Amino acid sequence: MERLFADVILPLAIAPLTFEVEEELWSHIGVGSGVSVPLGENKLYTGIVCRLHHNTPPYKRIRTIGSIVRSEPLAGLTQLALWEWMADYYMCTVGEIMRAALPSLLKPSAKSDDLFEERVFSLGREQMVHLAPSIRTEEELNRALDGLLPRRKAQYAAMMEFCDKIGVENLFEGSVPRSSLGASLPVVAKLVEGGLLDTFTRERTPHYRSAQLCHSTTLSPAQERALEEVRSSFEHHSTVLLHGITSSGKTELYIRLADEALRRGESVLYLLPEVALTQQLIARLREAFGEGLVVYHSGLTARARTEMYIKLSRSEGGEIVVGTRSAILLPLNNLGLIIVDEEHDRSFKQEDPAPRFSARDVAVWMAGRQGCHTLLGSATPSLESYHNARRGRYGYVWLGERYGAGSLPSVTISDTIKSAGRGERHGHLSKEMRDAINGAIAQGSQVMLFQNRRGFAPYIECPSCGWSARCPHCGVTLTYYKKGNKLRCNLCGHSEEAPLKCPACHEGEPLPQGFGTEKIEEQMAELYPSARIARLDGDIAASPSRMRAVIADFESGHTDILIGTQMITKGFDFAGVSVVGVLNADNLLSRPDFRAEERTFQTIVQIAGRAGRSQHKGHTIVQTAQPDNHTIIQAARFDYEAMAECQLADRESFGYPPFTRLVQITLRHNSPEMVYHGARALADRLRKVIPHGVSDAHAPAVSHIADTYIMQIMVRIDRATNPATVKSLILHTLKEFARDKIFRRITTSVNVDPQ
Ligand code: ADP
Ligand code: ZN
Ligand code: ZN
């Protein structure tokens, strides 16, 4: 008698396990089936079957599959193939991918069968109404209807409504939800009694209207040309990079291409950076695609996510979904097009927890292997994508003019050192900055000011002894908030009263140093007492409703000046903005990261791109102490090519991506000594098996967070080396390290392609 076994993926950081399938399940189980399996002494998990076979596993105790959780598969073959590739590439387990992909309600776990049973998600049930089977022809139906008149008017009306709802084509086969009929319960019951109607119950399918283009615009000649180029580029490339300057109307092209895919019956996935900040864009897509647009983001309830997942997995295509990075894991059948809007944005990469995947890179893989098209769009493409386009791996389409009358803003670099020397600085604003703001206010247009620090000041310092307030739990200074005279840690949330006297020398009075958004807000209120000023940063965004209100007020012109952090650089389209100010470009440049210059360029160009999007001529002022810095000059000229040329040359000579691949290993422990020695030992062991490319163990710029100390090792894989080999050597070494007597309490994690 042959036995049947199933390899089952569990939503845990372990490899698939093998279970026996009892005979009564044989005809029901398949690859992709969700099953309940026992693990440990008394725990049941939901798993997904990834393989069925007859090879008896070498386990002492072979356990059996409990039950099938849902009759439909939880994941299809395409999805399983994607999960396997992701686990391999990102050096995690398929279980971790499953954990990220499945909504929580679809992967119940429990201590007993009964409890598990209770937790299995089911869609609500609904009663369906159809014609009684005895009525098979129009004649029979008419006879039955005639029988109702003249006395049973309510029943007659209910029948007419029913026939109308169901339509002539479906009259004898179709059914409609009882709740969709206006007739009361007793009336329907009477009709069932009278042999005209029949009912049955079924699972309620979450219902969405189908998506179709309901609103479109006429494209400009430049847009038309770019659209044509994208189309023809897709004939030779699975991935195309659309490099279009800010406000060139890329979104309109995405809408067109999405519509074409929908018409072919294909599904479309539109990925964008953090949804909360891009509500404007979602509103535009809603206007274009109506209620059929599916919006998938972290703010949804567990039930809504689950229903969406089921609905999408049942659909055969023609869906359009907009979402952030995790939407890449949705079960979209017949996927034709993935759009990655603002593809350079780092929020497409998940850094913590595992799986540490890049939704953009996964989209590119899917295009190459699963037959869809991926369109990457940006005004400031990542150097990786640009490099791939230049090497011919991606198609490349350039859209170099703004839509309509808009032209790119003029940019002035304002030298903060010179300006201070001339005594022209007022608070933190140079004369050029103030003049520009004055001009904007006078003509009734709006102003956006960008400062990459929140709070009042990034730190306080004692003028006598140099003491500064640091977080007791993290390796950073405490941010000073004037409101409430508080010091707060932006990493762990630790908060304390700001001291009046220096706690170190007991003499000096610590003073705020540097400036954050709160301080700029205060200064602007002093300088422009009649202007309406608002702020948008991490502190405001902690309340989504407050954030929405700030954005809506600025959009409608209720506020004149918006001060914000990185958040205000992302994708906003405000017609009234004429002046944009970057208050301190230097702290962008000074980040300890090989991408600092690329990011500085992207931030300045993106924020500058918020100005002059309609009739107002835009003007951008960039304050910096390094007016000769080539990246700042390139950004001021919107010269992407020059920046790319320069940075790619540096990356090549110093061996950074896209010329190499990086794998970052992070070690964490609450003892700094333990993590230090552990990291050094691990680096040594890695070097024994990987002779080239293993860095020294080093502490990151923030050496500890919430009392956990961190060390890192970077492994650099050059293009000539097979990354899969190096990755498996790393995994093997880490596995041994985890068994080490001294170091096994150190937590390690691996990040492939860290951003
Ligand atoms: P991008 O995404 O390239 O920054 P957008 O797609 O946001 O640019 O377009 C910039 C502005 O121009 C938006 O307000 C948009 O509504 C408008 N626009 C772009 N193309 C058209 C068009 N074909 N017809 C009407 N308005 C357009
Ligand atoms: Zn002091
Ligand atoms: Zn802290």
Side-chain angles (χ1 to χ4, degrees):
M1 174 78 202
E2 221 172 3
R3 298 166 74 185
L4 183 66
F5 299 97
D7 293 349
V8 176
I9 305 169
L10 291 159
L12 305 165
I14 54 174
L17 299 176
T18 307
F19 295 85
E20 177 151 18
V21 187
E22 290 186 329
E23 211 175 331
E24 69 258 29
L25 288 181
W26 286 12
S27 55
H28 304 285
I29 203 163
V31 170
S33 293
V35 291
S36 76
V37 294
L39 197 69
E41 271 330 293
N42 47 12
K43 186 115 199 219
L44 288 161
Y45 282 95
T46 308
I48 294 182
V49 176
C50 60
R51 212 163 73 87
L52 286 165
H53 56 87
H54 301 292
N55 313 324
T56 312
Y59 308 152
K60 257 193 261 146
R61 173 175 169 213
I62 301 169
R63 308 183 76 168
T64 52
I65 282 181
S67 61
I68 295 184
V69 178
R70 289 181 61 81
S71 52
E72 302 162 278
L74 281 185
L77 292 179
T78 324
Q79 261 182 301
L80 289 175
L82 172 68
W83 293 6
E84 258 166 42
W85 174 77
M86 282 177 75
D88 239 30
Y89 185 87
Y90 290 109
M91 299 171 76
C92 60
T93 65
V94 191
E96 285 169 307
I97 310 277
M98 169 186 167
R99 192 158 63 188
L102 278 197
S104 57
L105 300 185
L106 286 181
K107 43 175 194 237
S109 61
K111 286 234 164 81
S112 72
D113 281 316
D114 295 348
L115 263 179
F116 190 91
E117 215 41 49
E118 261 173 48
R119 290 185 190 164
V120 169
F121 178 83
S122 64
L123 292 164
R125 297 190 74 80
E126 62 185 345
Q127 197 174 36
M128 301 297 292
V129 182
H130 60 116
L131 277 182
S134 59
I135 303 178
R136 283 170 316 242
T137 63
E138 229 157 289
E139 231 167 62
E140 285 169 347
L141 177 62
N142 283 333
R143 208 171 317 132
L145 286 174
D146 287 345
L148 293 174
L149 286 175
R151 291 192 20 248
R152 301 182 197 120
K153 287 222 180 70
Q155 291 183 38
Y156 184 82
M159 283 306 292
M160 293 319 276
E161 191 202 1
F162 168 82
C163 295
D164 185 47
K165 267 263 147 60
I166 207 157
V168 269
E169 316 87 71
N170 285 327
L171 199 50
F172 299 98
E173 300 88 45
S175 56
V176 291
R178 207 209 57 77
S179 59
S180 72
L181 298 174
S184 68
L185 267 176
V187 171
V188 175
K190 282 246 169 61
L191 286 164
V192 174
E193 237 169 73
L196 275 85
L197 294 181
D198 235 342
T199 60
F200 67 98
T201 63
R202 66 158 198 200
E203 253 190 359
R204 192 196 324 265
T205 314
H207 183 76
Y208 299 98
R209 252 164 278 171
S210 69
Q212 57 193 0
L213 195 63
C214 34
H215 177 84
S216 77
T217 51
T218 314
L219 296 187
S220 69
Q223 282 173 318
E224 279 295 354
R225 189 179 35 71
L227 181 62
E228 196 40 58
E229 281 180 34
V230 172
R231 283 194 201 111
S232 60
S233 200
F234 273 135
E235 286 167 19
H236 310 286
H237 300 277
S238 53
T239 296
V240 172
L241 173 63
L242 171 62
H243 186 181
I245 63 171
T246 53
S247 205
S248 56
K250 296 184 288 297
T251 317
E252 297 301 323
L253 300 195
Y254 303 148
I255 292 173
R256 290 306 178 92
L257 292 159
D259 173 51
E260 289 168 14
L262 291 176
R263 278 167 202 271
R264 291 190 294 266
E266 298 164 355
S267 288
V268 177
L269 178 61
Y270 192 128
L271 294 176
L272 39 70
E274 284 127 58
V275 160
L277 303 174
T278 12
Q279 38 177 307
Q280 262 195 333
L281 183 69
I282 290 174
R284 254 171 94 183
L285 294 176
R286 263 232 190 283
E287 196 185 328
F289 293 104
E291 292 304 310
L293 179 78
V294 179
V295 182
Y296 188 84
H297 58 86
S298 56
L300 296 172
T301 63
R303 186 168 186 97
R305 276 161 177 265
T306 307
E307 288 184 353
M308 238 173 228
Y309 189 95
I310 293 175
K311 192 256 177 178
L312 293 173
S313 64
R314 283 179 183 175
S315 159
E316 279 166 12
E319 308 287 343
I320 174 163
V321 180
V322 53
T324 45
R325 62 169 181 252
S326 56
I328 194 86
L329 292 166
L330 286 172
L332 282 164
N333 298 314
N334 194 12
L335 182 59
L337 176 68
I338 307 176
I339 294 158
V340 187
D341 192 2
E342 311 285 357
E343 67 87 29
H344 63 277
D345 197 281
R346 63 197 297 181
S347 74
F348 287 121
K349 177 76 159 73
Q350 173 151 321
E351 299 289 349
D352 255 321
R356 298 178 176 83
F357 67 100
S358 154
R360 176 195 66 207
D361 297 347
V362 172
V364 170
W365 182 85
M366 287 167 75
R369 298 301 174 84
Q370 300 191 327
C372 62
H373 284 156
T374 288
L375 182 64
L376 309 176
S378 175
T380 51
S382 64
L383 288 175
E384 283 84 352
S385 298
Y386 183 71
H387 182 66
N388 277 325
R390 254 192 4 183
R391 287 196 310 159
R393 289 195 54 210
Y394 301 167
Y396 179 80
V397 175
W398 165 246
L399 180 54
E401 62 185 66
R402 280 195 153 185
Y403 176 80
S407 53
L408 280 174
S410 60
V411 182
T412 306
I413 299 175
S414 174
D415 183 338
T416 48
I417 309 247
K418 273 205 190 122
S419 141
R422 286 197 296 262
E424 289 171 358
R425 265 170 91 77
H426 226 280
H428 296 283
L429 307 183
S430 66
K431 183 163 181 312
E432 287 107 330
M433 186 75 87
R434 282 198 321 279
D435 286 349
I437 297 173
N438 289 337
I441 302 273
Q443 68 169 20
S445 64
Q446 290 171 300
V447 175
M448 286 171 97
L449 295 178
F450 168 72
Q451 167 61 0
N452 211 15
R453 292 283 164 77
R454 53 182 160 148
F456 190 82
Y459 62 109
I460 62 169
E461 192 177 75
C462 169
S464 322
C465 73
W467 170 89
S468 65
R470 302 185 67 82
C471 177
H473 310 289
C474 309
V476 293
T477 56
L478 291 169
T479 302
Y480 176 65
Y481 287 82
K482 191 167 178 184
K483 208 168 147 206
N485 193 41
K486 280 266 185 302
L487 292 168
R488 206 164 72 219
C489 173
N490 288 336
L491 292 178
C492 73
H494 167 88
S495 144
E496 58 188 65
E497 192 100 352
L500 295 174
K501 271 266 176 315
C502 169
C505 68
H506 306 287
E507 271 175 24
E509 288 170 13
L511 292 172
Q513 301 294 318
F515 60 98
T517 45
E518 195 187 66
K519 184 166 185 186
I520 296 301
E521 189 182 16
E522 183 184 287
Q523 286 189 349
M524 294 302 285
E526 280 163 17
L527 284 168
Y528 302 96
S530 60
R532 293 156 303 180
I533 300 168
R535 176 163 60 87
L536 186 55
D537 55 25
D539 296 316
I540 302 274
S543 152
S545 61
R546 216 167 140 207
M547 175 168 82
R548 275 195 295 274
V550 168
I551 296 170
D553 280 349
F554 196 63
E555 187 164 26
S556 63
H558 280 304
T559 35
D560 307 304
I561 301 174
L562 181 63
I563 299 153
T565 52
Q566 205 76 21
M567 281 181 194
I568 63 169
T569 65
K570 289 191 183 177
F572 283 127
D573 182 23
F574 296 120
V577 177
S578 69
V579 168
V580 163
V582 176
L583 293 168
N584 183 353
D586 306 328
N587 52 29
L588 292 172
L589 279 172
S590 64
R591 282 194 216 148
D593 171 7
F594 70 90
R595 290 193 176 89
E597 300 200 281
E598 176 187 353
R599 294 246 153 84
T600 302
F601 180 91
Q602 286 163 341
T603 304
I604 294 177
V605 169
Q606 290 288 348
I607 180 93
R610 304 310 118 205
R613 290 176 78 90
S614 63
Q615 76 278 17
H616 299 291
K617 169 81 183 126
H619 190 182
T620 298
I621 319 285
V622 180
Q623 296 190 155
T624 174
Q626 309 165 64
D628 301 324
N629 177 284
H630 54 261
T631 303
I632 300 229
I633 293 172
Q634 286 153 358
R637 293 185 183 144
F638 298 103
D639 194 346
Y640 181 88
E641 307 261 303
M643 184 279 293
E645 210 60 58
C646 220
Q647 295 305 318
L648 285 172
D650 277 2
R651 299 269 181 99
E652 186 160 25
S653 53
F654 295 109
Y656 278 114
F659 300 94
T660 57
R661 298 161 194 270
L662 299 180
V663 177
Q664 183 178 55
I665 300 163
T666 302
L667 299 91
R668 292 187 173 85
H669 194 271
N670 53 21
S671 147
E673 290 79 24
M674 174 70 94
V675 74
Y676 174 79
H677 291 295
R680 292 185 40 141
L682 179 60
D684 285 343
R685 291 184 200 180
L686 285 166
R687 271 194 211 102
K688 285 212 183 86
V689 289
I690 309 165
H692 300 291
V694 179
S695 80
D696 286 333
H698 54 272
V702 178
S703 63
H704 58 292
I705 296 177
D707 295 318
T708 299
Y709 287 79
I710 308 166
M711 289 289 282
Q712 288 179 326
I713 299 165
M714 193 70 96
V715 181
R716 200 181 296 216
I717 308 171
D718 62 39
R719 287 280 162 186
T721 311
N722 179 1
T725 316
V726 179
K727 284 177 184 175
S728 75
L729 290 169
I730 294 174
L731 280 181
H732 184 77
T733 311
L734 282 175
K735 235 181 224 156
E736 272 181 3
F737 188 72
R739 283 196 293 263
D740 189 286
K741 270 204 215 70
I742 309 169
F743 299 128
R744 62 164 189 257
R745 282 184 210 290
I746 296 177
T747 317
T748 59
S749 60
V750 189
N751 188 354
V752 178
D753 303 334
Q755 280 296 301

